[in-house]
Amino acid sequence: MNLAWEQPWYRDFLNKSELVFCDGFGVLLGANLFGHGLKSEHRMTFADFIEDWILACERQNISVFLLAGKPGITDKAIAKFKAIAPNLQIQGHHGYFDKSGAENDAVIAKINNFKPGILFVGFGMPIQERWILDNLEQVETGVFVPMGACLDFYTDTVARGPRWMTDRGLEWLARLYFEPRRLWQRYILGNPLFLYRVLKQGIFNRQPSYD
């Protein structure tokens, strides 16, 4: 939400997407402050339902391409997916490549050769969204799905935090503990900034109009 506030192109990306998931307790809080009445069950965290999605793809014969993570992560994820969905059509490539030029073209050629029904892209925000926009017309797939660090969590490469924290709005604290150098700005500075913006918008919307 802070990115959407600060970067118009990212805000447009969210607003023009066909489907946007509520994956954070901060979004739930902000929505409720504006009277939308969302509950915790409305929160859909990718890491919690990725296996259900994969099983649905197998049942409906929808192919999947994973473009995410450090080298080796997609291989681990594919092995886990094939263990529960042996008939799934799936390929992958790591996310550590030059996002322009010849290397990018080679990755796109690999995706297009497979022609996946769904392309999962996990570079982290907002790099993954920028890549999707920049390559939207070149990539042959039915659906683009930004997935963030989902595969890192799914393959146990990065610790996510215990369930009692993730279910109570404290996942950010666990992630900050495990990756303080990378995430301190997002949470230490970003959380209060997000709350301030929500409260400011709420106060502004409640002010009477004198027109």
Side-chain angles (χ1 to χ4, degrees):
M1 291 296 98
N2 283 332
L3 282 172
W5 181 286
E6 297 162 1
Q7 302 188 32
W9 74 264
Y10 187 79
R11 182 166 61 250
D12 289 342
F13 180 93
L14 293 179
N15 288 336
K16 293 178 180 178
S17 296
E18 294 185 54
L19 186 63
V20 179
F21 296 102
C22 172
D23 71 345
F25 272 91
V27 178
L28 283 178
L29 173 63
N32 285 322
L33 288 174
F34 282 95
H36 293 293
L38 296 185
K39 299 178 181 179
S40 59
E41 55 263 33
H42 293 125
R43 177 174 177 258
M44 298 181 68
T45 301
F46 212 144
D48 290 332
F49 69 87
I50 183 63
E51 285 194 347
D52 291 334
W53 198 331
I54 290 299
L55 290 169
C57 288
E58 182 195 36
R59 288 194 302 270
Q60 299 181 40
N61 197 31
I62 298 173
S63 58
V64 172
F65 195 101
L66 306 176
L67 186 62
K70 295 180 180 179
I73 298 298
T74 55
D75 294 333
K76 291 181 181 179
I78 289 172
K80 291 189 68 174
F81 290 150
K82 293 292 283 186
I84 64 170
N87 296 319
L88 177 71
Q89 301 175 59
I90 185 169
Q91 289 187 16
H93 190 283
H94 63 79
Y96 280 61
F97 61 93
D98 190 345
K99 304 304 186 294
S100 62
E103 194 172 2
N104 189 65
D105 292 341
V107 171
I108 292 176
K110 181 178 180 180
I111 297 169
N112 290 346
N113 185 59
F114 185 57
K115 292 182 174 60
I118 299 177
L119 173 62
F120 292 108
V121 184
F123 305 151
M125 299 179 296
I127 299 174
Q128 59 195 12
E129 289 81 7
R130 186 71 262 172
W131 186 88
I132 290 172
L133 288 176
D134 291 342
N135 298 279
L136 192 63
E137 301 301 324
Q138 289 75 42
V139 177
E140 298 179 28
T141 186
V143 180
F144 290 88
V145 181
M147 68 185 315
C150 176
L151 292 190
D152 290 330
F153 300 140
Y154 184 67
T155 59
D156 298 320
T157 303
V158 175
R160 185 183 176 196
R163 175 66 69 174
W164 68 266
M165 294 185 73
T166 60
D167 288 348
R168 291 171 173 80
L170 297 174
E171 183 171 358
W172 67 273
L173 189 59
R175 293 195 65 188
L176 180 62
Y177 174 80
F178 289 119
E179 300 181 89
R181 185 170 297 180
R182 187 174 76 87
L183 297 175
W184 73 270
Q185 283 187 307
R186 180 188 297 185
Y187 296 126
I188 299 299
L189 301 181
N191 284 1
L193 182 59
F194 169 75
L195 183 60
Y196 164 74
R197 284 168 169 166
V198 168
L199 293 175
K200 180 181 179 182
Q201 185 69 21
I203 293 171
F204 177 80
N205 285 348
R206 286 198 299 269
Q207 288 180 347
S209 174
Y210 297 101
D211 294 338

